[in-house]
Amino acid sequence: MTQQLSYLKETPSQTAGPYVHIGLAPGAAGFDIYKQELGWDIAGPNSEGERIRVEGLVIDGTGSPIKDVLLEVWQANSEGVYAHPEDGRSVEDGFRGWGRVISNFETGEWAFETIKPGRTQGRNVGTQAPHINLWIVARGINVGLNTRMYFEDEADANAEDPVLNIIEWERRRTTLIAKRTERDGQIVYRFDIKLQGEDETVFFDI
Amino acid sequence: MLKPGEFYQRDREWHPPALTRDYKTSVSRSPQYSLISLQNSVSEITGPVFGHNDIDPLDNDLIHNYAKSGESAIGERIIVHGRVLDENGRPVPNTLVEAWQANAGGRYRHWKDTYLAPIDPNFGGCGRTLTDENGYYYFRTVKPGAYPWRNWVNNWRPSHVHLSIFGSGFAQRLITQCYFEGDPLIAKCPIVNTIPDKAAQGQLIAALDMNATIPLDTIAYKFDIVLRGRRSTLFENRLEGN
């Protein structure tokens, strides 16, 4: 007999289901309950950096937009600092760097406004290209999907990014790079996420 | 700056796989390629921090948080309580736990739910709370009803409460469902059965906890939640190019 390890097992994931809005965005489910819903203001009013809008679709294997998806956003500020004690540096007052957004029930389009993040520390050395971490849950998704959105206009940083570079297939790296456009004076990044099929988005086991 | 330890890898054999044909919606919503494994960086080790300014003290009382003054939700009054721990057995303090569920008749307060069972005017169906310094949390609510759903011709969800938990790092983010001891629908549920291991399924079944009941008032179920644990940083693994 060997000794027993005493680690616990992580609680298994279950789908967020079709009614995820009740718990995480009750206003979208059709009722008003909390004094404030969480996650609608990612960057706050005082943050430095370029104000941007990010929008897209999450598309299923039939090519249809998913209309009941919820995404969570986690990002650094324009200096590459995460609003978390372990980052060790401070962020602007009101910058949380976290948010949640749901798709439009009719069209599947989702969008959020934030600031463009800066380069963040690499795991051991160097830096990571500016990116937004995304976590995607919906009916039919058994374990939330992790991916990252990078920026088209950061080609040099992207070329050096340690995470993009571990993706063996260069063709697949492009699925993580949002397209930059300008509309009515606003900077808009387009980031469609494909769960299956041609140009399936890269998802990570983090 | 001290490099914080990475999270232990997620045991993908303990979690449901992405593609689970008997839960039909997963078929077109499951990535076909393998996930690409990533060593944790600061992006995964950090995560949002919440405080008592974010929520209201009544938010964890689903019996009253949407009820008219002096009224309360209809149904079997229950407490769902437990601790949020990590895989090392350490409590996860001050972390946000959010809950949502159907009412006692099995009907959700959601414009998309058209089930015959009536809406309870005094029940919203969501709550949220922060764990205390020992990782402890509780919700007061009513036991959710079972309800039919479109999958096979005749599927019924067992009574369940959806739970969303953050932890300290974004890599710990988790959504799961809490079931209730003794419910015969658990074993028949295609969503429960997305989890291949019966012991893992059992981790989602809250135990009747008579010691935590409030006599003549509310019955209790205990549901501990385990998030990913972290390596201690005795040795660094420094990889070329990372």
Side-chain angles (χ1 to χ4, degrees):
Chain A
M1 280 290 281
T2 53
Q3 296 190 5
Q4 296 296 304
L5 296 172
S6 56
Y7 297 111
L8 303 176
K9 296 297 290 183
E10 187 189 9
T11 299
S13 173
Q14 293 269 265
T15 179
Y19 305 121
V20 60
H21 318 93
I22 295 173
L24 307 189
F31 66 109
D32 182 25
I33 181 166
Y34 295 137
K35 68 178 180 195
Q36 57 176 352
E37 292 192 13
L38 298 173
W40 300 109
D41 188 5
I42 298 169
N46 304 313
S47 297
E48 303 289 326
E50 186 176 37
R51 295 272 155 181
I52 62 170
R53 175 182 170 92
V54 178
E55 59 184 31
L57 292 168
V58 179
I59 299 164
D60 73 13
T62 73
S64 311
I66 296 186
K67 298 173 183 176
D68 53 8
V69 71
L70 181 141
L71 299 94
E72 286 194 7
V73 175
W74 176 238
Q75 68 165 84
N77 73 359
S78 62
E79 297 292 315
V81 183
Y82 284 99
H84 188 273
E86 284 185 40
D87 189 290
R89 295 170 289 166
S90 61
V91 295
E92 299 91 336
D93 190 33
F95 178 87
R96 178 169 261 167
W98 171 81
R100 53 172 56 134
V101 61
I102 61 163
S103 54
N104 181 289
F105 290 113
E106 303 292 324
T107 64
E109 287 278 346
W110 51 265
F112 59 86
E113 297 192 355
T114 184
I115 53 98
K116 190 177 169 192
R119 290 194 188 207
T120 51
Q121 301 169 64
R123 180 161 164 269
N124 284 318
V125 293
T127 59
Q128 307 185 85
H131 65 278
I132 294 178
N133 307 285
L134 295 171
W135 185 68
I136 302 158
V137 295
R139 177 171 66 100
I141 295 177
N142 289 328
V143 184
L145 296 169
N146 289 101
T147 189
R148 287 181 170 202
M149 187 196 102
Y150 288 83
F151 297 85
E152 181 183 36
D153 51 314
E154 295 284 346
D156 292 346
N158 291 343
E160 296 168 10
D161 182 77
V163 170
L164 286 173
N165 282 319
I166 61 165
I167 302 168
E168 180 184 343
W169 311 274
E170 286 182 39
R171 196 191 138 81
R172 296 203 67 206
R173 296 176 193 167
T174 62
T175 67
L176 300 186
I177 297 175
K179 300 268 186 298
R180 181 182 172 109
T181 56
E182 198 172 326
R183 191 168 65 226
D184 303 331
Q186 189 178 31
I187 302 299
V188 179
Y189 285 92
R190 180 78 195 180
F191 190 63
D192 289 333
I193 297 166
K194 289 187 161 182
L195 299 188
Q196 295 179 358
E198 194 181 349
D199 296 327
E200 176 181 314
T201 300
V202 169
F203 298 102
F204 295 107
D205 189 5
I206 63 170
Chain B
M1 184 181 115
L2 259 179
K3 281 198 195 308
E6 297 162 341
F7 289 100
Y8 300 140
Q9 73 170 353
R10 199 158 239 168
D11 182 350
R12 294 282 168 177
E13 295 179 334
W14 193 250
H15 285 281
L19 173 60
T20 46
R21 290 195 175 277
D22 288 340
Y23 174 30
K24 293 181 180 179
T25 313
S26 75
V27 175
S28 66
R29 295 184 173 195
S30 43
Q32 308 282 289
Y33 289 119
S34 299
L35 302 178
I36 291 184
S37 299
L38 213 58
Q39 310 303 132
N40 287 173
S41 73
V42 67
S43 300
E44 289 76 35
I45 285 169
T46 59
V49 177
F50 299 97
H52 289 282
N53 290 336
D54 289 315
I55 61 174
D56 189 271
L58 190 66
D59 285 352
N60 70 341
D61 183 353
L62 284 72
I63 290 181
H64 295 112
N65 68 8
Y66 196 72
K68 291 185 219 39
S69 180
E71 300 187 13
S72 58
I74 291 172
E76 183 182 345
R77 297 159 63 86
I78 65 169
I79 289 165
V80 175
H81 77 124
R83 290 208 298 163
V84 179
L85 303 166
D86 69 15
E87 290 171 291
N88 296 314
R90 297 190 190 106
V92 182
N94 306 313
T95 202
L96 182 66
V97 181
E98 296 164 291
W100 68 99
Q101 62 167 87
N103 70 22
R107 173 79 181 266
Y108 284 95
R109 182 176 286 278
H110 193 295
W111 63 273
K112 279 173 74 179
D113 188 1
T114 56
Y115 181 40
L116 299 169
I119 290 284
D120 176 348
N122 289 310
F123 187 71
C126 59
R128 55 191 186 180
T129 189
L130 289 170
T131 57
D132 71 10
E133 66 276 15
N134 300 311
Y136 181 76
Y137 78 93
Y138 72 93
F139 290 99
R140 185 151 69 151
T141 185
V142 294
K143 194 170 183 183
Y147 60 85
W149 61 297
R150 291 181 185 279
N151 186 63
W152 296 331
V153 170
N154 186 22
N155 275 131
W156 291 75
R157 292 303 323 276
S159 295
H160 64 278
V161 178
H162 297 263
L163 292 167
S164 157
I165 313 98
F166 280 82
S168 61
F170 206 51
Q172 287 177 300
R173 194 78 181 83
L174 181 73
I175 283 181
T176 190
Q177 299 183 29
C178 160
Y179 304 99
F180 296 93
E181 178 180 359
D183 187 339
L185 291 171
I186 294 171
K188 298 179 188 298
C189 177
I191 289 179
V192 174
N193 288 326
T194 60
I195 299 169
D197 187 312
K198 288 288 172 194
Q201 292 183 6
Q203 201 175 347
L204 298 186
I205 303 173
L208 175 66
D209 183 356
M210 291 303 286
N211 289 346
T213 61
I214 304 169
L216 306 179
D217 183 330
T218 305
I219 203 164
Y221 288 87
K222 183 157 187 286
F223 190 74
D224 286 337
I225 298 161
V226 181
L227 303 180
R228 293 167 69 182
R230 291 176 73 168
R231 291 176 61 224
S232 52
T233 51
L234 290 177
F235 306 101
E236 265 186 39
N237 56 333
R238 187 177 280 273
L239 291 182
E240 190 73 29
N242 274 356

